[in-house]
Amino acid sequence: ILSLSSLAAVEPIEKESKQTALYREILDRLATRHYHGQKINDELSERYLASYIDMLDPLKSFLLQSDINEFSKWQTKLDDLARRGDVKPGFFMFNRLRSQAITQLEENIELLESDHKFDFTADESIVLDGEERDWHQTPAERSNYWRMRIKDSMIRLLLNDKEPLKARELLIKRFTNQKKQMEQRDTQDVFQLYVNALASLYDPHTSYYSPRTTENFQINMSLS
C-alpha cells in the first residue's frame, strides 16, 4: 500500500511555459553562434535522442527495451519539435525513467530489508558496463540484474571487513538516498538535462546551467 507521500513523490514533473521560448533561444544560439555549426535535421535528431537516453540511464539499469522502443517514435522528430520550442518529449522520457527508477529502488530496499539470503557459492556473473549489455526485456529480468548487482556490492563490502548486517544497512541507506534524490528532481533539472543532451552534440564543453545550478556554481567558485 502506497502512502500519500509516496503517491505525491511520483507525480509527473511538468514543464514550465517559459521553457518554450528559452529552448528556442538556446537552439538558435547553438545553430547560429557555435563554432561547430550543425544542420538541424533528422540525423541530428537521431543523435539527440541517443544522447538523451544515454544521459538518462547510462548503465541501462532502469529503463526497459519497451521504453526504448516507445521513445523511438521521436527519432526523426526532435529537430522539428526543437524549432517550435517543444520540450514535451524530454519530460515524458524523464518521467518514465523516474518512475521506473523509483520502483526498482524501492524493490532493492525491500529485498535488503527482507530475510533474503544471498548465495555466495552460486556460479553467477554480471556485466556492469551498460555498453556491453542490451536493455532489459522485462521487469523480472531487470530485478534479477539488480539482485546480482546487490550481491556483488555485498561481496565487495564483506571483503572490506564489513559485517553482513552493516553491509545491508549501508546499501539500504545508499538506495534510500538515490530514491530521495530522484523524487526531489524538478522541472529545472529535467530541462537542464534535456538541453545538455542537445548541447553535447556540438561539443562536450558546451552546457546549459539552470538558475539554481548557476547560483551553486558561483557560490562554490567564490567559496562563500
Side-chain angles (χ1 to χ4, degrees):
I1 299 174
L2 289 173
S3 66
L4 289 177
S5 61
S6 180
L7 282 170
V10 293
E11 279 292 309
I13 300 172
E14 301 290 344
K15 72 179 187 70
E16 294 181 337
S17 58
K18 64 183 179 182
Q19 289 168 340
T20 297
L22 179 56
Y23 186 42
R24 290 170 63 183
E25 181 183 352
I26 292 170
L27 178 67
D28 178 67
R29 291 193 180 191
L30 287 171
T32 61
R33 302 186 190 182
H34 198 282
Y35 72 91
H36 186 192
Q38 296 195 60
K39 293 181 179 179
I40 311 298
N41 55 19
D42 289 353
E43 188 269 336
L44 180 133
S45 178
E46 290 181 24
R47 292 190 292 121
Y48 187 7
L49 179 62
S51 172
Y52 188 55
I53 291 173
D54 186 57
M55 286 185 175
L56 285 176
D57 196 1
L59 297 180
K60 298 179 180 174
S61 300
F62 300 113
L63 293 171
L64 302 175
Q65 182 63 58
S66 56
D67 297 316
I68 304 305
N69 294 344
E70 186 175 356
F71 298 164
S72 68
K73 65 187 177 184
W74 289 303
Q75 195 163 21
T76 60
K77 296 180 180 178
L78 294 185
D79 56 322
D80 301 314
L81 294 171
R83 288 192 182 96
R84 300 203 296 264
D86 192 338
V87 296
K88 285 185 287 187
F91 279 78
F92 181 92
M93 288 184 273
F94 187 93
N95 283 321
R96 178 66 59 81
L97 176 279
R98 185 165 172 258
S99 174
Q100 297 278 32
I102 290 173
T103 297
Q104 185 59 56
L105 291 169
E106 287 176 341
E107 186 178 307
N108 295 349
I109 295 167
E110 186 178 336
L111 177 71
L112 287 161
E113 289 179 338
S114 72
D115 57 2
H116 175 81
K117 291 181 173 58
F118 294 96
D119 184 359
F120 297 120
T121 65
D123 184 10
E124 292 183 311
S125 62
I126 182 172
V127 178
L128 296 175
D129 187 348
E131 293 185 1
E132 300 295 323
R133 289 189 293 102
D134 294 326
W135 295 97
H136 300 302
Q137 296 294 325
T138 64
E141 186 179 308
R142 180 179 63 196
S143 295
N144 189 53
Y145 159 79
W146 272 101
R147 178 191 61 78
M148 290 192 291
R149 187 163 160 180
I150 293 170
K151 179 179 170 180
D152 175 72
S153 297
M154 285 286 293
I155 291 172
R156 293 172 189 271
L157 290 169
L158 295 174
L159 289 174
N160 281 291
D161 299 324
K162 277 283 184 184
E163 294 293 328
L165 185 59
K166 292 293 184 183
R168 281 185 182 247
E169 290 175 351
L170 181 61
L171 291 176
I172 289 171
K173 183 178 180 180
R174 184 181 300 172
F175 291 133
T176 300
N177 287 338
Q178 290 175 7
K179 177 174 172 282
K180 187 179 298 182
Q181 289 172 3
M182 191 61 70
E183 290 171 342
Q184 291 174 343
R185 292 288 184 262
D186 62 17
T187 188
Q188 285 191 33
D189 297 319
V190 182
F191 184 76
Q192 177 174 294
L193 190 68
Y194 191 52
V195 168
N196 281 331
L198 174 62
S200 69
L201 303 180
Y202 285 80
D203 81 85
H205 307 295
T206 297
S207 300
Y208 164 76
Y209 280 3
S210 69
R212 183 177 64 246
T213 303
T214 302
E215 182 181 357
N216 290 337
F217 176 78
Q218 291 171 340
I219 289 171
N220 289 334
M221 290 299 290
S222 63
L223 301 179
S224 62

